[in-house]
Amino acid sequence: MNSGAIDEMTLYRAERRVLDHQRKLHRWARAEPDKRFGDLFNLICDQATLLVAWERVSGHRGARTAGVDAVTRRHVEEDIGVLAFLEELRSSLKDGTFTALPVRQVAIPKKSGKLRMLGIPTEAA
């Protein structure tokens, strides 16, 4: 197993932390509908938020498809390590160097003969 692998207890704690944040924000928003939340950036950069987001996104069937950067979930898990990847992402978010890469587009034919564009986002930045 990769040293950057995520154990079930770590994931459970992260999910609980994110759920606590969500509940608190929901409670505040219901109590004060006009309230502006100015410090959401720190919640986004929170290690638990990034870990839960990774688990949700990497669980999708489409996570096997590489984006324009040619990086797949498997590459991150086996070659980089999820925790190292998320820490690098967190650092780039916090220091302002994060830049989103373009989305790879694929045209999917429809029965009508028209094409529907499908966007394939990247795993890494």
Side-chain angles (χ1 to χ4, degrees), residues 81-100:
V82 173
L83 297 177
F85 171 78
L86 293 177
E87 187 53 41
E88 183 180 332
L89 174 60
R90 182 175 182 265
S91 294
S92 68
L93 285 168
K94 287 187 89 71
D95 67 21
T97 60
F98 175 81
T99 304

Side-chain angles (χ1 to χ4, degrees), residues 38-106:
D39 197 26
L40 293 179
F41 184 75
N42 284 330
L43 291 179
I44 293 168
C45 293
D46 188 85
Q47 292 171 331
T49 303
L50 293 174
L51 180 57
V52 170
W54 169 263
E55 285 298 312
R56 289 180 183 171
V57 170
S58 68
H60 296 160
R61 194 178 71 185
R64 293 178 287 190
T65 305
V68 295
D69 60 354
V71 176
T72 62
R73 175 191 73 207
R74 188 176 195 172
H75 171 73
V76 171
E77 291 172 347
E78 294 177 0
D79 299 337
I80 300 171
V82 173
L83 297 177
F85 171 78
L86 293 177
E87 187 53 41
E88 183 180 332
L89 174 60
R90 182 175 182 265
S91 294
S92 68
L93 285 168
K94 287 187 89 71
D95 67 21
T97 60
F98 175 81
T99 304
L101 293 173
V103 173
R104 185 173 125 205
Q105 290 189 332
V106 178

